[in-house]
Amino acid sequence: MALNTFDPRSSAHIEAATGIWNAACGAGLSFSERFMRYNTDPAHWNGQGKHQAGQIVVVDGQPAGFALASVMKEPYAGAPYSGHIDALAVLPAHQRRGIGRALVAWAETWLRGQGCARVTVGASARTFVPGPPLELGSAGFFERLGYSRNGVCCDMARDLAGYITPPTALKAKGVTVRPAQPEDKDALLGFLKREFPTGWYWECVQLLEAGSRISDYVILLSARGVDGALLVTFEDSFRPLDRFYPHRLPRPWGQLGSVGVSADCRGSGYGAALMDGALRYLQARGVRGCVIDWLVIVDFYARFGFEVFRQYEMASRDL
Ligand SMILES: CC(C)(COP(=O)(O)OP(=O)(O)OC[C@H]1O[C@@H](n2cnc3c(N)ncnc32)[C@H](O)[C@@H]1OP(=O)(O)O)[C@@H](O)C(=O)NCCC(=O)NCCS
């Protein structure tokens, strides 16, 4: 067994890592090479802040496993840095031979060298998975290597054919919900910087800089301006829809991000109005199978007819 440095510019490495993931995780959790390229793009965050490295394990001259690890640093996050094992997979024929353990050991050593105090499985910027998918049964592997299980999060889904606005979404008064337009850019970024200055603000900055269309953000406007936003994904969005693993759902597919509303406006029905506006926007564009990803509290989304679609264990350890 030999460990080789993963090169995100190498088509052979992108193809090998994608093939290993798809073979190890199965059709329901498969993704395209385009998604692997997107999630390992060295230009991500303009080359600053996010640091990612990877290894491909070669056995008898053939790729058999891979791991990617990353850490977010200034200006996006401050020390002590939290590190991530972004993705890890071993071909089924090579499992239970110590390859996964060797890859985790490499990732932990690299992350320690980057100044990380803690490592989390998944949940990286440009996420592969929020944690080990429950259906793969790999949380036991991480537990064996000293990781603690920190609960479960889930994706929810529904078919938008037949979606009708639920009563909960009719409470907000004096607000408009619509896709953002180019002239909304400063107001959208101002809202995100004020209310969600770490993850969502920087995600928006880099998506817009990279050429994503601004209308994938649905905004809620009150009398004082933007007071809510959420990000949606279509099959033709800049951000690949593969990330949400919608394969079992009817096409066309779509996704809707978590709802973000100004802290001083919560409890006014704005979140529900924003959800409904986004769902009707997706529905009007023909979307059927729709995923809302990475949720811990499901009641709010259940009111819109969403049901639990996939679960992930959350796993982490101190380094
Ligand atoms: C999880 C995975 C990477 C493990 O790789 P592997 O090469 O089979 O793991 P190793 O052989 O190094 O196993 C190390 C130890 O964990 C144990 N182990 C492996 N898989 C396990 C599992 N699913 N449940 C419990 N223990 C497991 C092994 O028996 C071994 O135990 P030991 O201490 O007695 O030797 C592999 O099963 C895989 O690719 N799964 C699909 C992808 C995935 O779930 N990735 C995680 C999310 S990113």
Side-chain angles (χ1 to χ4, degrees), residues 70-92:
S70 71
V71 53
M72 299 294 292
K73 296 186 183 176
E74 294 90 357
Y76 309 112
Y81 308 122
S82 175
H84 300 264
I85 294 178
D86 301 10
L88 167 74
V90 175
L91 284 179

Side-chain angles (χ1 to χ4, degrees), residues 118 120-121 130-134 139 143 147-154 294-296 311-316:
R118 197 164 169 80
T120 299
V121 182
L134 208 66
E143 198 169 52
Y147 286 70
S148 56
R149 299 188 188 207
N150 309 324
V152 170
C153 65
C154 72
W294 203 341
L295 303 170
V296 178
Q311 290 180 293
Y312 306 87
E313 300 243 23
M314 295 182 281
S316 58

Side-chain angles (χ1 to χ4, degrees), residues 11-26:
S11 298
H13 283 195
I14 294 284
E15 187 186 339
T18 305
I20 293 166
W21 177 275
N22 291 345
C25 300

